[in-house]
Amino acid sequence: MAVETFDWCSRLGASSTPEYRNRSSKFGNGYEQVVGDGPNNKVDAWALTFVVREPDALEIKAFLDRHGGFKSFFWTPPLGEKSFFRASAPAVSPNGAGFFTLSTTFTQSFLP
């Protein structure tokens, strides 16, 4: 199965919260040894909000539901390169006049 690409534009104000995974060992003399945890020790996460009309909200929700929080898809973050991400379940709230707000978090992954 081919890996899908997420193409919808999020609302302005998306924010990144990168995490560096490290391992450390402290020794009795105050010395501490710190190394990166694996070859991909930096993981990026993006809190995203979409304010869209109902047809687009249904498409975005269907895309995210299809991936179920465990299947990766391609997405290009701001100031980043196209890579694999997984998404949390979207929180949906109606705004009236046919508009909906969807909120989710995209977390970088390294395999489909």
Side-chain angles (χ1 to χ4, degrees):
M1 183 175 162
V3 177
E4 294 183 85
T5 300
F6 190 89
D7 289 324
W8 291 273
C9 293
S10 68
R11 188 174 160 191
L12 292 177
S15 60
S16 169
T17 52
E19 175 188 346
Y20 296 111
R21 290 190 322 253
N22 299 312
R23 292 179 182 214
S24 64
S25 293
K26 293 185 180 185
F27 300 93
N29 62 357
Y31 176 76
E32 181 178 13
Q33 184 176 17
V34 181
V35 295
D37 186 15
N40 299 311
N41 75 315
K42 180 186 176 211
V43 178
D44 210 359
W46 286 84
L48 301 172
T49 302
F50 303 88
V51 179
V52 292
R53 293 199 173 275
E54 184 174 358
D56 290 326
L58 290 170
E59 285 183 33
I60 293 170
K61 187 175 180 321
F63 181 96
L64 298 177
D65 287 346
R66 201 168 43 249
H67 290 81
F70 68 93
K71 293 180 193 170
S72 296
F73 51 86
F74 284 121
W75 180 63
T76 306
L79 295 178
E81 295 180 7
K82 183 177 185 179
S83 56
F84 291 115
F85 283 84
R86 290 185 312 268
S88 63
V92 179
S93 53
N95 297 337
F99 282 90
F100 289 82
T101 298
L102 285 84
S103 300
T104 184
T105 300
F106 284 9
T107 304
Q108 188 176 16
S109 61
F110 299 97
L111 293 172

